[in-house]
Amino acid sequence: MCRWIAYRGEPITLDQYVTNPSNSLVAQSISALEATASVNGDGFGLGWYGEHPEPGLYREIRPAWSDENLRYLCRHLRSHLFFAHVRAATGTPITRVNCHPFASGVWLFMHNGFVGGWNRLRRRVEGMIPDRLYPSRVGTTDSEALFLSIMAECEAENPVDAAAKVLRSIKVMVNECGQPEQFRFTASLTNGADLYAFRYAVNDRANTLYFQERADELLIVSEPLDALKERWTEVPEGCALIAREDHPIRLQPLNV
Amino acid sequence: MCRWIAYRGEPITLDQYVTNPSNSLVAQSISALEATASVNGDGFGLGWYGEHPEPGLYREIRPAWSDENLRYLCRHLRSHLFFAHVRAATGTPITRVNCHPFASGVWLFMHNGFVGGWNRLRRRVEGMIPDRLYPSRVGTTDSEALFLSIMAECEAENPVDAAAKVLRSIKVMVNECGQPEQFRFTASLTNGADLYAFRYAVNDRANTLYFQERADELLIVSEPLDALKERWTEVPEGCALIAREDHPIRLQPLNV
Amino acid sequence: MCRWIAYRGEPITLDQYVTNPSNSLVAQSISALEATASVNGDGFGLGWYGEHPEPGLYREIRPAWSDENLRYLCRHLRSHLFFAHVRAATGTPITRVNCHPFASGVWLFMHNGFVGGWNRLRRRVEGMIPDRLYPSRVGTTDSEALFLSIMAECEAENPVDAAAKVLRSIKVMVNECGQPEQFRFTASLTNGADLYAFRYAVNDRANTLYFQERADELLIVSEPLDALKERWTEVPEGCALIAREDHPIRLQPLNV
Amino acid sequence: MCRWIAYRGEPITLDQYVTNPSNSLVAQSISALEATASVNGDGFGLGWYGEHPEPGLYREIRPAWSDENLRYLCRHLRSHLFFAHVRAATGTPITRVNCHPFASGVWLFMHNGFVGGWNRLRRRVEGMIPDRLYPSRVGTTDSEALFLSIMAECEAENPVDAAAKVLRSIKVMVNECGQPEQFRFTASLTNGADLYAFRYAVNDRANTLYFQERADELLIVSEPLDALKERWTEVPEGCALIAREDHPIRLQPLNV
């Protein structure tokens, strides 16, 4: 069970949400409030958009709370759209390439959840990644496989339909296991302009997901960063949050 | 606030106490029961005696709970006397050389506690390390400086008197600060045959310390490794546990 | 281009060959003599057999030359059969799970070489791993995929025939690429009793392989550990070295 | 023997000099041309100035050549003044806090060289660091101790005189050793506006130092980044390069 935040708005330094708030993401790495695993110390990552055509990535296997590089980078990196993630591993190794966010071209993705029975289902899920994208599978997590599968569908569909299509396939797989497995998918996806988030589960409660919109600023989080609960709106289970550039934010049931 | 265990007895593989028990040291790394810092994820270390004249050391900056090397080593390393330690840093950097145990010649040392006001007192404490031992100061912790200071006194004194002498000096230092500082010292020291442990504090409660003796086996721990509390004896504050080779174990007030 | 050594004989501490000789494996990590990549600084690993039914593993992403843990472990670990490997990565990430040796049950494997066109061939090679062994694919290297494929064949064949069968399949694959790819396979495999080594290449020269037998001691290496070249016998290209327990060593052409 | 570059000029992304040139700093990490240690694989670091009042730092113990984070950061970090350094350790541990550059307030410092007989002289050199700056001594290198000693002198002197004063003290120390020790100091210092570099040695040849000035751009390096040797000017031994903001660059003999 991981924790993450996604930000889009005026360019700001990352420390404003990653390290400064009372329940900042780094604070959540050592003690999350709404998570079943209260420690998220199995690595972390930042992904951000700047002037380079592709997003930047900084991923580390150390806990976020003790990484001095992270503090310096959060003070100095300025971005209009960034992802930050602290990991609690669910079985796959603690390596940088297994840390979120994942990147593919201009896209970034991060995930809180898991595919139950991964050892048995992995090969079928990896089979959803087309040959063209398979060299991008540099790690071994369920999350990266889901991401690349969605990327494949994005060629023909909009990202929400692409994600729904992949979720449908996974739903079939976990239900086809002798004993049905759980599947949780609270995730975010972006191309640097449009921002999407998903809250979904099969055979289980979905992991929490909140957002906050103020002026031109959108913040999407696993759990609120402060005690001002009235400012945060919960995304209902089974829904996608769609925040296309220059369009109003809307919630839409996932057609799974 | 760290957690540690010391074992002396028949040669056993380290997994028997480091990874296997319900509240094993590795379990304590992610969730200690009696510690103020419930996560001890700032590195860890093993020190053990074998056939080589000097003890072995394995120290890592990753959390103990996710280190696959640690699990292999604990299954394969067999020793009649070993130390294991999980760290919760109190200000000094997360580096291997700042992880416990520390070694000097045949001696090993590990510590749970801190010297309050370390930034102001550090130079005075380091001044207690003689030139001869100063090249052994490879890290920057208060713990390593205490160890090397005790090693210096061990030339003229027995280890318990040597430790008491150093504790007296530190007591003076923390009380001479404008506002008295705290000092906690729950530590263990060994030369591979004799085993010593200390529970002491100035201006504060001392960190917990327990031991268990069964047949030829002595186990000294920060907190019990299982729920069989009746098997564990608490070492009183201000006391040393003295377990010299071929002598009965005894508790002795520290003459500080 | 990696470097490795395999030892079988009287139980010895690992430092005797890993760290002590003039051209020890650790010396080769910073400056190999016969390799195209003269630096092998992309991680390293040890695998060894002791009293535990499964072999031990110690793998790290730091260069071997600066790892103080490695020096302690090599002094203290004693084994009758061990593997040691320093890595020069050929494109896959620097993670512990991508470092050699690889383990599966009682088996250990390590490799110097590569499958050319890995990005295109990876999926086909991974397809050779049966479902039963696929959960053991914890990394992403060509080497680990070759190992698990050989493991699969070992159920029906002896290890040399199993390896030859896999090599034949890879040979077909690299030659079916639009432009034929290279494939180099200088590897060692053991179950803790029998020891095998292979020197083979397709569309290329094979990486070097030497061995030395003295009394009950067998040493197999990528390159000699000392200047006494007359003591070392080169394994011819296209050959397997077969050292079954309690049988004389023999060289046998690989039937690929 | 380390390698480093310092840049001041129009804000650029760091990749332009750290990763892109044929003999870029990252290329030098695996194979330097003018260094006695041809591999600089014992960690690396970046220091840069941006909008935050204090410079940023990114330091890692892995070799620069295989750090994917470094490549992302160099593409995305834009600065008018930055330092980059690849390390070949001379005896002190491989830790992040022992990697260059070092920071103190607005100042950055990096060094190629060593104080001979460091084990014997360390305490005397550390004695030059005033109490006020001693908490900033977070590592154990000779380089950091030199830096903090110079910082202390900078309160009363300009940086070049401050450095010369410290070099004089070290010169006395290395010559007072029973057998005179060597001392090499090829270093750079900046406050984010003024840039200084030094090339000096006692009882030895000084490590190389070059610079290149084009339009408003100043580049100072351990060794040229390309084969256009005529573009690079060597700084003579015993000299400081002084590049104060809005003043012409000048070379000045060090008054040691």
Side-chain angles (χ1 to χ4, degrees):
Chain A
M1 183 91 77
C2 311
R3 303 277 89 180
W4 56 254
I5 62 174
Y7 169 88
R8 189 184 68 185
E10 285 302 300
I12 58 169
T13 51
L14 278 56
D15 56 357
Q16 192 166 327
Y17 293 114
V18 178
T19 56
N20 292 353
S22 60
N23 188 33
S24 73
L25 193 72
V26 167
Q28 291 175 42
S29 72
I30 199 156
S31 180
L33 302 176
E34 300 199 9
T36 29
S38 63
V39 178
N40 294 278
D42 299 328
F44 68 89
L46 300 176
W48 70 93
Y49 293 86
E51 295 170 33
H52 193 276
E54 292 186 1
L57 278 186
Y58 173 64
R59 300 189 291 181
E60 245 292 336
I61 58 173
R62 295 171 58 152
W65 69 75
S66 69
D67 189 77
E68 57 279 73
N69 287 332
L70 176 62
R71 296 194 172 267
Y72 280 111
L73 293 173
C74 284
R75 282 187 200 164
H76 279 270
L77 289 171
R78 179 178 288 275
S79 176
H80 72 282
L81 200 167
F82 62 84
F83 279 12
H85 186 280
V86 292
R87 186 171 181 232
T90 56
T92 41
I94 315 296
T95 62
R96 285 188 181 174
V97 286
N98 281 351
C99 287
H100 309 226
F102 303 100
S104 176
V106 301
W107 293 87
L108 285 179
F109 173 82
M110 63 186 166
H111 175 221
N112 171 17
F114 60 90
V115 176
W118 177 238
N119 269 348
R120 277 177 297 152
L121 295 180
R122 174 177 167 196
R123 189 161 239 162
R124 282 183 70 186
V125 179
E126 289 179 343
M128 298 167 67
I129 307 170
D131 284 351
R132 181 180 49 80
L133 288 176
Y134 202 61
S136 300
R137 175 126 176 94
V138 290
T140 56
T141 57
D142 47 1
S143 304
E144 187 196 42
L146 293 169
F147 171 44
L148 295 174
S149 303
I150 295 170
M151 282 295 96
E153 299 299 334
C154 271
E155 301 201 340
E157 314 264 12
N158 68 62
V160 176
D161 289 344
K165 192 167 171 187
V166 169
L167 297 181
R168 270 196 302 277
S169 300
I170 305 292
K171 183 183 182 182
V172 169
M173 291 182 201
V174 294
N175 281 327
E176 279 178 4
C177 287
Q179 179 176 347
E181 294 282 355
Q182 298 172 318
F183 168 44
R184 294 198 217 158
F185 184 81
T186 296
S188 191
L189 181 69
T190 186
N191 57 11
D194 308 316
L195 181 57
Y196 306 90
F198 308 91
R199 186 181 182 203
Y200 178 74
V202 178
N203 302 327
D204 204 353
R205 293 294 309 272
N207 289 340
T208 54
L209 182 63
Y210 298 84
F211 73 99
Q212 176 178 124
E213 196 183 13
R214 281 193 292 179
D216 289 338
E217 181 180 307
L218 172 63
L219 203 57
I220 313 175
V221 298
S222 301
E223 62 179 72
L225 303 184
D226 53 42
L228 304 167
K229 295 239 171 181
E230 67 281 8
R231 288 197 181 170
W232 298 93
T233 305
E234 191 168 359
V235 176
E237 300 199 26
C239 271
L241 183 159
I242 303 175
R244 299 195 54 209
E245 196 180 21
D246 301 324
H247 287 69
I249 292 170
R250 61 197 171 88
L251 297 176
Q252 177 182 300
L254 276 162
N255 178 26
V256 181
Chain B
M1 183 90 79
C2 312
R3 303 278 89 180
W4 56 256
I5 63 173
Y7 170 88
R8 190 184 67 185
E10 285 303 300
I12 58 169
T13 50
L14 278 55
D15 56 357
Q16 193 167 326
Y17 293 114
V18 178
T19 56
N20 291 353
S22 61
N23 188 33
S24 74
L25 193 72
V26 168
Q28 291 175 41
S29 72
I30 199 156
S31 180
L33 303 175
E34 299 198 10
T36 31
S38 62
V39 178
N40 295 277
D42 298 327
F44 67 91
L46 301 175
W48 69 93
Y49 294 86
E51 295 170 34
H52 193 275
E54 293 187 0
L57 277 186
Y58 173 63
R59 299 189 290 183
E60 244 293 337
I61 58 173
R62 294 171 58 152
W65 69 75
S66 68
D67 190 77
E68 57 279 73
N69 287 331
L70 177 62
R71 297 194 171 267
Y72 280 111
L73 293 173
C74 284
R75 282 187 199 165
H76 280 269
L77 290 171
R78 180 178 287 275
S79 176
H80 71 282
L81 199 167
F82 62 83
F83 280 10
H85 185 280
V86 292
R87 185 172 183 232
T90 56
T92 41
I94 315 297
T95 62
R96 285 187 181 176
V97 285
N98 282 351
C99 287
H100 309 228
F102 303 100
S104 176
V106 300
W107 292 87
L108 285 179
F109 173 83
M110 63 186 165
H111 176 220
N112 171 17
F114 61 89
V115 177
W118 177 238
N119 270 347
R120 277 176 298 152
L121 294 180
R122 174 178 167 196
R123 190 161 238 161
R124 284 182 70 186
V125 179
E126 289 178 343
M128 299 167 66
I129 307 170
D131 284 351
R132 182 179 48 78
L133 288 174
Y134 202 61
S136 300
R137 174 123 176 97
V138 290
T140 55
T141 57
D142 47 1
S143 305
E144 187 195 42
L146 292 169
F147 170 44
L148 295 173
S149 302
I150 294 169
M151 283 296 96
E153 299 299 334
C154 272
E155 302 200 339
E157 315 261 14
N158 69 62
V160 176
D161 289 345
K165 192 168 171 185
V166 169
L167 296 181
R168 271 197 300 279
S169 299
I170 305 292
K171 183 183 182 181
V172 170
M173 290 182 201
V174 294
N175 281 327
E176 280 178 4
C177 287
Q179 178 176 347
E181 295 283 353
Q182 299 173 317
F183 169 43
R184 295 196 218 161
F185 184 81
T186 295
S188 192
L189 181 69
T190 185
N191 57 12
D194 308 315
L195 180 56
Y196 306 90
F198 308 91
R199 186 181 182 201
Y200 179 74
V202 179
N203 303 327
D204 204 354
R205 294 294 310 274
N207 289 339
T208 54
L209 182 63
Y210 297 84
F211 72 99
Q212 176 178 127
E213 196 182 13
R214 282 192 294 180
D216 288 338
E217 182 180 305
L218 171 64
L219 203 56
I220 314 175
V221 299
S222 301
E223 62 180 73
L225 302 185
D226 54 40
L228 304 167
K229 295 239 172 182
E230 67 282 7
R231 288 196 181 172
W232 299 93
T233 306
E234 191 167 0
V235 175
E237 300 199 25
C239 272
L241 184 159
I242 302 175
R244 299 195 53 209
E245 197 179 21
D246 301 326
H247 288 69
I249 292 171
R250 61 195 169 89
L251 297 176
Q252 177 181 299
L254 276 162
N255 177 25
V256 181
Chain C
M1 183 91 77
C2 311
R3 303 278 89 180
W4 57 255
I5 62 174
Y7 170 88
R8 190 183 68 185
E10 285 302 298
I12 58 168
T13 51
L14 278 55
D15 56 357
Q16 193 166 326
Y17 292 115
V18 179
T19 56
N20 291 354
S22 60
N23 189 32
S24 74
L25 193 71
V26 167
Q28 290 176 42
S29 72
I30 198 155
S31 180
L33 302 174
E34 298 200 10
T36 29
S38 63
V39 178
N40 295 277
D42 298 328
F44 67 91
L46 300 176
W48 69 94
Y49 294 86
E51 295 169 34
H52 192 276
E54 292 187 0
L57 277 187
Y58 173 64
R59 300 188 288 181
E60 245 293 335
I61 57 173
R62 294 171 59 153
W65 68 76
S66 68
D67 190 77
E68 56 279 73
N69 286 331
L70 177 62
R71 297 195 171 265
Y72 281 111
L73 292 173
C74 284
R75 281 187 199 164
H76 280 269
L77 290 171
R78 180 178 287 276
S79 176
H80 71 282
L81 199 165
F82 62 84
F83 279 11
H85 185 279
V86 292
R87 186 172 182 230
T90 55
T92 41
I94 315 296
T95 62
R96 285 187 181 175
V97 286
N98 281 352
C99 287
H100 309 225
F102 304 100
S104 176
V106 301
W107 293 86
L108 284 179
F109 173 82
M110 62 186 167
H111 175 221
N112 171 17
F114 61 90
V115 177
W118 177 238
N119 270 347
R120 276 177 299 154
L121 295 180
R122 173 176 167 196
R123 189 160 239 161
R124 284 182 71 186
V125 178
E126 289 179 342
M128 297 167 68
I129 307 171
D131 285 350
R132 182 180 49 78
L133 288 175
Y134 202 60
S136 301
R137 173 124 176 97
V138 290
T140 55
T141 57
D142 47 1
S143 304
E144 187 195 42
L146 293 169
F147 171 44
L148 295 173
S149 302
I150 295 169
M151 283 295 96
E153 299 300 334
C154 271
E155 301 200 341
E157 314 262 12
N158 69 61
V160 176
D161 289 344
K165 193 168 171 188
V166 169
L167 297 181
R168 271 197 301 278
S169 299
I170 305 292
K171 183 182 181 181
V172 170
M173 290 182 202
V174 294
N175 281 326
E176 280 178 3
C177 288
Q179 178 176 349
E181 295 281 353
Q182 299 172 317
F183 168 45
R184 294 196 220 161
F185 184 82
T186 296
S188 191
L189 180 69
T190 186
N191 57 11
D194 306 315
L195 181 56
Y196 306 90
F198 309 91
R199 185 181 183 201
Y200 178 73
V202 178
N203 302 327
D204 204 354
R205 293 295 309 273
N207 289 339
T208 53
L209 182 63
Y210 298 85
F211 72 101
Q212 174 177 128
E213 195 182 14
R214 281 191 295 179
D216 288 339
E217 181 180 306
L218 171 63
L219 202 57
I220 313 176
V221 298
S222 302
E223 62 180 73
L225 303 184
D226 54 41
L228 304 166
K229 296 240 171 180
E230 68 282 7
R231 288 196 180 171
W232 299 93
T233 306
E234 191 167 1
V235 175
E237 300 200 24
C239 271
L241 183 159
I242 302 175
R244 298 195 55 208
E245 198 179 21
D246 302 324
H247 287 69
I249 292 170
R250 61 195 170 89
L251 296 176
Q252 177 182 300
L254 276 161
N255 178 25
V256 180
Chain D
M1 183 89 78
C2 311
R3 303 277 89 181
W4 56 255
I5 62 173
Y7 170 88
R8 190 182 69 185
E10 284 303 300
I12 58 169
T13 50
L14 277 57
D15 56 357
Q16 192 166 329
Y17 293 115
V18 178
T19 56
N20 291 353
S22 60
N23 189 32
S24 74
L25 193 71
V26 167
Q28 291 176 42
S29 72
I30 199 155
S31 180
L33 302 176
E34 299 199 9
T36 31
S38 63
V39 179
N40 295 277
D42 298 328
F44 68 90
L46 300 176
W48 69 93
Y49 293 86
E51 294 170 36
H52 192 278
E54 292 186 2
L57 278 187
Y58 173 64
R59 299 188 291 181
E60 245 293 336
I61 58 173
R62 295 171 58 153
W65 70 75
S66 68
D67 190 78
E68 56 279 74
N69 287 331
L70 176 62
R71 296 196 171 265
Y72 280 111
L73 292 173
C74 284
R75 281 188 201 163
H76 280 270
L77 290 170
R78 180 177 287 274
S79 176
H80 71 282
L81 199 166
F82 62 84
F83 279 12
H85 186 278
V86 292
R87 187 173 181 230
T90 57
T92 41
I94 315 297
T95 62
R96 285 189 182 173
V97 286
N98 282 351
C99 287
H100 308 229
F102 304 99
S104 176
V106 301
W107 292 86
L108 284 178
F109 174 82
M110 62 186 166
H111 175 219
N112 171 17
F114 61 90
V115 176
W118 177 238
N119 270 348
R120 277 177 296 153
L121 294 180
R122 174 177 166 196
R123 190 161 238 161
R124 283 182 71 185
V125 178
E126 289 179 342
M128 298 168 66
I129 306 171
D131 285 351
R132 182 179 48 79
L133 287 174
Y134 202 60
S136 300
R137 175 125 175 95
V138 290
T140 55
T141 57
D142 47 1
S143 304
E144 187 196 42
L146 293 169
F147 170 44
L148 295 173
S149 302
I150 294 170
M151 283 294 95
E153 299 299 334
C154 270
E155 301 201 341
E157 315 262 13
N158 69 60
V160 176
D161 289 345
K165 194 168 170 186
V166 169
L167 297 181
R168 271 197 301 278
S169 300
I170 304 293
K171 183 183 183 182
V172 169
M173 291 183 202
V174 294
N175 281 326
E176 280 177 3
C177 288
Q179 178 176 348
E181 295 282 355
Q182 297 173 319
F183 169 44
R184 294 198 217 159
F185 184 83
T186 296
S188 192
L189 180 70
T190 185
N191 56 12
D194 308 315
L195 181 56
Y196 306 90
F198 308 91
R199 185 181 182 203
Y200 179 74
V202 178
N203 303 327
D204 204 354
R205 292 294 310 272
N207 288 340
T208 53
L209 182 63
Y210 298 84
F211 72 99
Q212 176 178 126
E213 195 182 13
R214 280 193 293 180
D216 288 337
E217 183 180 306
L218 172 63
L219 203 57
I220 314 176
V221 299
S222 301
E223 63 180 71
L225 304 184
D226 54 42
L228 304 167
K229 295 240 172 183
E230 66 283 7
R231 288 196 181 172
W232 298 94
T233 305
E234 193 167 1
V235 176
E237 300 200 25
C239 272
L241 183 161
I242 302 174
R244 299 195 54 208
E245 197 180 20
D246 301 325
H247 287 69
I249 293 170
R250 63 198 168 87
L251 297 177
Q252 177 182 299
L254 276 162
N255 179 25
V256 181

